[in-house]
Amino acid sequence: MRVLQLIDTLEAGGAERVAVNLANTLSTKITASFLCATRKEGALKSTVKEEVKYLFLNRISTIDVKAIRLLNTYVKHNKISLIHAHATSFFIATIIKCLNPKIKLIWHDHYGESEFLSKRPKAILKICSKFFNHIFSVNNQLVNWARLHLHASSVSYLSNYAELDTISLQTQLKGVVNKRVVCLANLRPQKDHVTLIKAFKKVSKTYPDWSLHLVGQNFKDEYSKSIISLIEKYQLSNTVFIYGSCLDISAILNACNIGVLSSKSEGLPLALIEYALAGLPVVATNVGDCNLVISNRKYGQLIPSEAILELQNAIEFYIKYPEKAKLTAKSLHQKVKEDFSKETTIHKLMSIYKTI
């Protein structure tokens, strides 16, 4: 079995980390594991294992003939038998499938706005899906959407899993030790940092020593500018800190005390799994499949999206009752190790690979 993980970039996003994790894990389980970034490299390139054979296409347009030829030649030369295309890389993967009909093609749907599927563009995806041998979806809403709108022969849910990195703390974290709240999410509108900052403004009035740490890619667009402006408007520059993409995620989480996700929409966020593995008590919004991880109060606090007061109260609860926070974190850690483990996910993945 010779499998290529295909992803458009290697920036530190959820889909990208899944693609790299799978390529790395499979390198010891199949004949050959390959990884291809089609459009852009990024911070995750340094986390790709030496055993994984890597290709960068530098694709600059949708129909980039040079990139298509390069990938097609690479696939033939390396006798790749299965392409596992992640997120938006499905289009070039479909072209390669058409050029090599014997190759099996799996598409992995990581769509992060599953609360707004009615607005999702699907015309090209629908055509390409006729060539998919299987679809993996990261939550059950996406499974149902694919079955209703696409033409793949089979669709199934595949949970995300995370692996703790072993990189020592390199990021210079600000704030008071043992009084840090972290939000691991790229600066995108669906992650709703606005509600989080508004809630934390209220938290900081009662607990001025506590700080909020925003870790995730800063695209330097209008949304990120609005976040910076809001921090300045609320005079939180010494309380709320933006770091951008970081590779030492596990070390950062270990240096924080509460994990928060304030998203308007999600699939099944990798950050939630990482918080749990790091032993953090978690506050998250009830979107996507977050309720599969935080199924009741034993495992964390699940609140409505865009609910400033509920978010404030949830954060303050863990600050006020640290022993309860520790018990919750311990329960969540155990649940994630059992239900969202690498072993469980890879077993299901390999079963599908063998079936098709």
Side-chain angles (χ1 to χ4, degrees):
M1 193 180 291
R2 306 174 70 84
V3 180
L4 170 67
Q5 306 294 324
L6 193 66
I7 187 75
D8 279 339
T9 84
L10 288 181
E11 294 172 341
E16 292 83 358
R17 284 152 72 195
V18 170
V20 172
N21 282 347
L22 290 179
N24 285 343
T25 300
L26 290 172
S27 66
T28 61
K29 296 182 179 294
I30 60 177
T31 307
S33 179
F34 302 84
L35 175 69
C36 173
T38 71
R39 290 186 179 274
K40 189 178 179 181
E41 296 184 307
L44 292 179
K45 183 180 177 182
S46 64
T47 67
V48 179
K49 290 183 177 180
E50 291 183 5
E51 296 85 354
V52 176
K53 297 171 178 62
Y54 173 71
L55 172 69
F56 174 51
L57 290 184
N58 196 24
R59 179 180 170 211
I60 57 176
S61 62
T62 303
I63 307 293
D64 185 332
V65 176
K66 182 179 178 181
I68 292 169
R69 283 177 177 169
L70 176 59
L71 181 57
N72 191 50
T73 300
Y74 187 82
V75 165
K76 287 183 175 180
H77 176 74
N78 288 285
K79 299 178 181 178
I80 290 167
S81 54
L82 189 153
I83 296 176
H84 187 148
H86 296 262
T88 50
S89 69
F90 68 85
F91 183 75
I92 191 170
T94 302
I95 293 174
I96 300 302
K97 164 78 171 176
C98 291
L99 295 173
N100 304 272
K102 291 183 179 181
I103 285 179
K104 304 301 180 182
L105 174 57
I106 287 177
W107 178 54
H108 203 139
D109 187 4
H110 298 268
Y111 194 64
E113 298 190 52
S114 57
E115 307 299 311
F116 310 105
L117 282 168
S118 61
K119 300 178 182 179
R120 186 181 192 181
K122 59 178 182 290
I124 296 175
L125 177 57
K126 194 169 186 177
I127 294 169
C128 291
S129 69
K130 296 177 182 179
F131 298 92
F132 299 165
N133 296 99
H134 187 79
I135 294 176
F136 284 127
S137 299
V138 297
N139 71 20
N140 288 301
Q141 289 166 282
L142 295 177
V143 169
N144 294 331
W145 184 86
R147 286 173 176 163
L148 182 64
H149 295 285
L150 304 182
H151 299 296
S153 55
S154 59
V155 183
S156 67
Y157 163 72
L158 187 72
S159 66
N160 286 339
Y161 73 90
E163 289 192 280
L164 297 178
D165 61 67
T166 57
I167 301 172
S168 58
L169 186 63
Q170 299 171 352
T171 304
Q172 297 296 313
L173 288 177
K174 301 174 183 178
V176 179
V177 175
N178 293 326
K179 294 186 177 182
R180 294 183 180 124
V181 178
V182 63
C183 177
L184 180 56
N186 288 342
L187 296 187
R188 295 188 183 278
Q190 66 264 33
K191 301 297 184 178
D192 196 11
H193 296 80
V194 173
T195 293
L196 177 56
I197 291 168
K198 288 179 177 178
F200 203 80
K201 178 191 176 186
K202 296 177 180 294
V203 171
S204 63
K205 287 182 179 179
T206 308
Y207 300 98
D209 290 342
W210 280 75
S211 53
L212 174 62
H213 303 261
L214 307 180
V215 179
Q217 187 169 356
N218 182 349
F219 299 96
K220 302 188 187 303
D221 55 8
E222 289 305 312
Y223 177 73
S224 63
K225 290 175 184 176
S226 73
I227 296 303
I228 294 169
S229 296
L230 191 63
I231 292 170
E232 293 172 350
K233 177 184 175 182
Y234 288 159
Q235 298 181 328
L236 293 172
S237 298
N238 294 321
T239 306
V240 179
F241 307 103
I242 297 176
Y243 295 90
S245 294
C246 301
L247 285 178
D248 55 337
I249 295 299
S250 295
I252 290 173
L253 297 183
N254 287 330
C256 293
N257 307 92
I258 300 171
V260 177
L261 283 177
S262 53
S263 310
K264 295 179 184 178
S265 182
E266 283 288 358
L268 186 129
L270 206 59
L272 203 54
I273 309 298
E274 290 173 316
Y275 290 164
L277 292 178
L280 294 180
V282 174
V283 178
T285 47
N286 190 9
V287 294
D289 271 2
C290 290
N291 60 359
L292 292 183
V293 183
I294 304 175
S295 52
N296 59 54
R297 294 273 294 191
K298 176 182 177 182
Y299 302 110
Q301 298 190 74
L302 208 60
I303 62 170
S305 60
E306 301 181 82
I308 297 170
L309 181 59
E310 286 88 340
L311 184 53
Q312 174 200 347
N313 289 339
I315 294 171
E316 289 184 350
F317 177 83
Y318 285 143
I319 294 174
K320 189 175 181 180
Y321 301 106
E323 291 305 316
K324 291 182 180 179
K326 288 179 183 177
L327 287 174
T328 301
K330 186 176 180 180
S331 296
L332 182 62
H333 179 81
Q334 189 59 37
K335 179 178 182 178
V336 163
K337 283 185 70 177
E338 292 174 358
D339 297 348
F340 298 91
S341 69
K342 176 173 71 172
E343 291 74 22
T344 301
T345 301
I346 294 299
H347 177 75
K348 183 173 182 179
L349 180 86
M350 293 289 290
S351 297
I352 295 294
Y353 280 2
K354 291 173 183 176
T355 299
I356 67 170

